[in-house]
Amino acid sequence: MRGHGCRVGRTARKRRQRSENIVQSVSLCHQSQYVRLMRFLHHRGFTLTLLQPAVFTDTGRGLQALKNVKPGQLLISLPKSCLLTTSTVLDSYLGQYIKSWTSRLSPLLALCVFLVCERHREEASDWLPYIDVLPTTYTCPCYFDDDVMVVLPTSVRRRALEQREAVREIHSSNQDFFRSLQPILTQPVEEVLTYEAIRCYEIRSVSGTLCYQQAFINYGSHDNHRLLLEYGFVAPGNPHSVVYVDTDLLCELLRGDKSLDQKLKFLKENKFLHNLTISSEGPSWRLMTALRLLSLPQTLYQQWKAVLLGQAVCEERERWSVQTALTLCQRLLQDTHAALEKISHLLQQCDQSVKEQLDVVKSLRQEERCILGSCFEILQSSQRQSDDMLSCQPDADAVS
C-alpha cells in the first residue's frame, strides 16, 4: 500500500475538477438593503416573481431564476415610476437649474449630478433604497489604481487612460455648473416627481434559463476588452474574445527593417493598422495580411496594394509571415505571464477595492493566456506541416 494516497488518480482528479467548476449561489433577499429596495419597487408598482438577487461564485452579484424560464418569456416589467430618467431629473428640484443653464447639459451629466445630489440628501431622498445597492467601488479600468493600470494589456491600458482623461474633462469643464448647485446641497428641498404609469421597461428571455441559474443580460458580440472597458467585467470562455497586437510591438520586432516606417505609413493609410488580432483559432486575416505586406521588400512596392487585397506571396515570404506571427505570440505570452506574476504579488498586499480590480484583470489575462497558447500550437503545427512538405519535395539536382 506504499504510496497509496500520495498520487491522485484520474477519477479523483475529475471529481475535483467537477467540484471546482460547480457554480454556487447565495440569495441576497434577506439583506436589509435589498428588502428596502424591493419595498421601494413594490410601492411604485413593480413585482418580481421569476428572479431574485443573489451572489454567484463565478460572476459575483446577479439575478437568479426561481423557476425554469422559457424562451421569449417576460422576465421583468418595470413601470416608469421605477425608472430614473432625464424626465425624472427635469421634473425634480434640479430641473430649474438645468433648464436655465447657459449651455445644454448632456443626459449623462444630468443623471450623474442627480445621483450625487440624492446620495448627499441621504434619508431625505426618495431614491435612497436604489442608491444604497449601487456599487461603492468600480472595476471599469478608468477608475483603476495606477498599479493595476500597469498590468493591463497595452491596448486596454491606452483606452482606459483615454477614458480617465474624458471623465476628468467632464468634471473640469462643468465646474461652474456644479458651483451653481451649491444651494441645493446646503438646505433641504422638497422633491416633486411626475410619472406616467402606463409606460414600462420590459426584459424578455432570449434562450430561456434553468431554475436557480443566473439570468444574464445579452451585451452583444463583444470581446472581453470591450466588456471590461465599458461594463467592468470579463466573460470566461467568451467566444468573441481576441488578443490585440499593438503597433509598438510590431515596430519592436521589425526595427531592423529600413523600410518599416514606409510600410507602416502605407498600412495606416489603408486602415490596416487597427484591429490586428489573435484568436484561439489563429491569427486574424487582417494580421496575416499586414504581416505579408511587411515581408515584402521596398523594391516590390508595386505589389503592396495587391497583397492588401488578398494576393498571395511567395512561399518564402509566407513562411516569414507565419514565423513572425509565432514570434508575436511568444512575446505576448511572455508579457501575459509577467503580468500574472505581478498581479499575484500585488494581491498579497492590496486592500479590498484594489483586489476587485486585480481580480478582473487577472481573469482577462488568464483568458488571453489560453487564447495565445491555442494560437501558438496552431502556428507551430502549420510550420511543421510546411517543413514536412518541403522535405518531401524531390531535389532538383537529383532529378536532373
Side-chain angles (χ1 to χ4, degrees):
M1 296 295 290
R2 183 182 178 185
H4 181 73
C6 296
R7 182 179 177 183
V8 179
R10 183 185 304 169
T11 302
R13 288 199 301 272
K14 288 185 175 180
R15 188 181 298 118
R16 185 185 65 225
Q17 289 170 358
R18 282 198 300 270
S19 65
E20 290 174 351
N21 292 332
I22 293 175
V23 177
Q24 297 179 334
S25 60
V26 177
S27 172
L28 296 173
C29 289
H30 63 284
Q31 293 188 5
S32 59
Q33 65 264 42
Y34 289 98
V35 172
R36 288 195 298 269
L37 176 65
M38 296 310 299
R39 188 181 297 128
F40 163 83
L41 293 172
H42 180 72
H43 287 163
R44 291 172 178 242
F46 171 73
T47 56
L48 186 66
T49 57
L50 287 177
L51 305 171
Q52 71 172 1
V55 172
F56 297 84
T57 52
D58 60 337
T59 58
R61 190 170 65 168
L63 290 174
Q64 182 181 48
L66 296 174
K67 302 175 183 177
N68 288 337
V69 178
K70 298 176 182 178
Q73 188 171 352
L74 182 65
L75 285 172
I76 292 174
S77 180
L78 278 167
K80 189 179 179 182
S81 56
C82 297
L83 303 179
L84 204 169
T85 67
T86 50
S87 295
T88 309
V89 179
L90 291 174
D91 290 335
S92 74
Y93 53 86
L94 279 179
Q96 58 177 316
Y97 293 89
I98 294 173
K99 293 172 185 176
S100 63
W101 191 243
T102 52
S103 59
R104 183 179 176 85
L105 299 177
S106 70
L108 174 63
L109 182 62
L111 288 166
C112 289
V113 168
F114 181 76
L115 283 172
V116 171
C117 290
E118 289 296 288
R119 184 186 288 277
H120 179 78
R121 295 180 66 204
E122 298 179 336
E123 295 296 332
S125 169
D126 287 343
W127 293 91
L128 185 63
Y130 165 70
I131 292 171
D132 276 348
V133 297
L134 292 177
T136 55
T137 58
Y138 299 92
T139 53
C140 289
C142 64
Y143 297 103
F144 280 1
D145 186 86
D146 288 340
D147 287 338
V148 183
M149 279 284 194
V150 172
V151 292
L152 281 169
T154 303
S155 60
V156 182
R157 182 166 63 251
R158 183 182 297 111
R159 288 283 309 280
L161 291 172
E162 290 171 357
Q163 287 182 341
R164 180 188 283 181
E165 188 57 36
V167 172
R168 287 174 175 167
E169 173 60 24
I170 290 174
H171 182 263
S172 61
S173 62
N174 289 282
Q175 284 297 306
D176 289 341
F177 174 69
F178 297 151
R179 279 191 283 269
S180 76
L181 302 177
Q182 192 63 31
I184 293 176
L185 303 179
T186 56
Q187 59 186 6
V189 180
E190 281 289 324
E191 179 184 4
V192 179
L193 300 177
T194 59
Y195 300 105
E196 297 176 25
I198 58 172
R199 298 181 63 185
C200 64
Y201 182 83
E202 293 186 348
I203 299 177
R204 293 183 179 272
S205 174
V206 175
S207 56
T209 305
L210 294 177
C211 185
Y212 301 126
Q213 287 192 349
Q214 184 174 3
F216 291 97
I217 292 176
N218 186 346
Y219 287 88
S221 303
H222 301 324
D223 60 48
N224 277 334
H225 281 203
R226 185 169 177 182
L227 290 177
L228 178 58
L229 284 163
E230 296 188 7
Y231 305 106
F233 74 93
V234 169
N238 184 349
H240 307 292
S241 274
V242 292
V243 177
Y244 288 84
V245 176
D246 195 71
T247 306
D248 291 343
L249 179 56
L250 284 175
C251 293
E252 185 181 341
L253 289 181
L254 305 176
R255 57 181 176 271
D257 185 351
K258 295 180 180 179
S259 59
L260 180 60
D261 289 343
Q262 185 180 357
K263 293 174 184 177
L264 292 176
K265 181 182 178 183
F266 186 83
L267 287 169
K268 185 176 182 180
E269 288 172 349
N270 287 275
K271 297 180 173 56
F272 252 85
L273 270 187
H274 68 282
N275 250 6
L276 303 180
T277 61
I278 291 170
S279 75
S280 56
E281 298 178 353
S284 67
W285 177 83
R286 288 180 63 86
L287 175 58
M288 289 308 300
T289 300
L291 291 177
R292 290 181 185 114
L293 184 140
L294 291 167
S295 75
L296 298 175
Q298 192 172 15
T299 53
L300 296 179
Y301 177 80
Q302 70 277 7
Q303 295 183 20
W304 288 10
K305 188 68 175 181
V307 169
L308 289 189
L309 295 174
Q311 177 178 292
V313 295
C314 68
E315 190 174 286
E316 179 186 353
R317 303 197 190 285
E318 182 66 21
R319 283 174 57 79
W320 180 93
S321 302
V322 173
Q323 178 57 49
T324 304
L326 196 60
T327 304
L328 283 170
C329 254
Q330 286 177 313
R331 290 295 301 273
L332 289 167
L333 269 171
Q334 290 171 2
D335 176 67
T336 301
H337 286 302
L340 285 168
E341 288 182 11
K342 176 73 171 176
I343 290 169
S344 296
H345 176 70
L346 290 172
L347 282 170
Q348 297 172 8
Q349 54 188 21
C350 65
D351 58 30
Q352 182 59 31
S353 62
V354 174
K355 180 182 182 301
E356 292 174 359
Q357 297 172 4
L358 288 169
D359 283 341
V360 73
V361 179
K362 180 180 178 181
S363 180
L364 176 66
R365 286 292 196 170
Q366 288 173 334
E367 289 289 311
E368 295 201 344
R369 181 176 59 187
C370 292
I371 292 171
L372 292 167
S374 177
C375 180
F376 187 79
E377 291 178 3
I378 289 170
L379 288 170
Q380 277 192 321
S381 176
S382 173
Q383 200 174 51
R384 284 194 297 267
Q385 289 176 5
S386 177
D387 291 341
D388 291 343
M389 289 177 65
L390 285 174
S391 64
C392 290
Q393 291 179 357
D395 192 322
D397 293 335
V399 172
S400 62

